[in-house]
Amino acid sequence: GRSDSCAPSSSKACREKLRRDKLNDKFVELGSFLEPGRPPKTDKAAILIDAARMVKQLRGEAQKLKDSNSNIQEKIKELKVEKNELRDEKQRLKAEKEKLEQLMKSMNAQPSFLTHPPPIPAAFAPQGQVPGNKLMPFMSYPGVAMWQFMPPASV
């Protein structure tokens, strides 16, 4: 509405008035951005003070967000390293598990006709040896253990 009173190609005073009117409109718009929902301020100094306060506040928040972003990026790098370590450990454990499974299969695949040796009878057990140990004397004659005829140092 204000620009209707002066034509754009008129005198210097009219052009100056149009410029001031534009500035005033921008101040009103800035005031409405700073405090939405409240009636716009008409005091230019108050609008500029509020704008400067808001800019400082936004710069502070932006710096906090940059710092937070840097911390998060560092945390992401640490977690990626940990993830790679865990992946490597998982692969190692998986390979070890497969080796153990193959070992178990090979142990189960051995022929079952080999019997466990009988325990040594108490009468033939050397001194200090508990009967039932896995050692079995070599029998050269039925019922006579060969170790009885060996020197004690060899036994």
Side-chain angles (χ1 to χ4, degrees):
R2 295 180 190 167
S3 60
D4 293 340
S5 60
C6 283
S9 61
S10 59
S11 70
K12 182 177 179 182
C14 282
R15 287 193 309 265
E16 182 61 25
K17 180 162 178 28
L18 287 174
R19 187 185 70 77
R20 283 193 316 266
D21 288 343
K22 275 186 185 178
L23 279 174
N24 288 336
D25 290 342
K26 294 298 177 184
F27 270 108
V28 169
E29 186 179 351
L30 179 61
S32 67
F33 285 147
L34 293 174
E35 296 181 30
R38 294 184 68 186
K41 295 180 180 179
T42 57
D43 183 20
K44 293 178 185 177
I47 291 172
L48 288 176
I49 289 170
D50 287 348
R53 179 184 49 80
M54 184 67 73
V55 168
K56 285 180 186 177
Q57 179 183 349
L58 291 173
R59 281 186 179 167
E61 288 178 17
Q63 187 60 44
K64 285 179 186 176
L65 290 172
K66 285 179 184 177
D67 294 343
S68 175
N69 188 27
S70 297
N71 291 338
I72 290 172
Q73 292 297 327
E74 286 297 318
K75 189 80 160 179
I76 287 172
K77 287 178 184 176
E78 292 171 7
L79 289 174
K80 283 183 179 179
V81 167
E82 186 176 349
K83 175 183 149 189
N84 290 336
E85 289 172 355
L86 289 172
R87 182 180 293 140
D88 293 344
E89 184 177 359
K90 177 183 173 186
Q91 292 295 329
R92 183 183 56 78
L93 289 173
K94 192 174 182 181
E96 187 176 333
K97 176 187 166 200
E98 289 173 1
K99 273 174 50 177
L100 289 173
E101 286 176 349
Q102 288 179 355
L103 181 64
M104 289 297 295
K105 285 180 184 177
S106 69
M107 290 177 76
N108 289 338
Q110 288 181 350
S112 60
F113 61 85
L114 295 176
T115 59
H116 192 278
I120 300 174
F124 296 113
Q127 292 178 353
Q129 182 177 347
V130 178
N133 202 342
K134 293 185 179 180
L135 295 176
M136 186 176 95
F138 176 76
M139 307 292 258
S140 61
Y141 298 105
V144 178
M146 194 64 184
W147 59 267
Q148 291 176 340
F149 301 107
M150 295 174 68
S154 300
V155 176

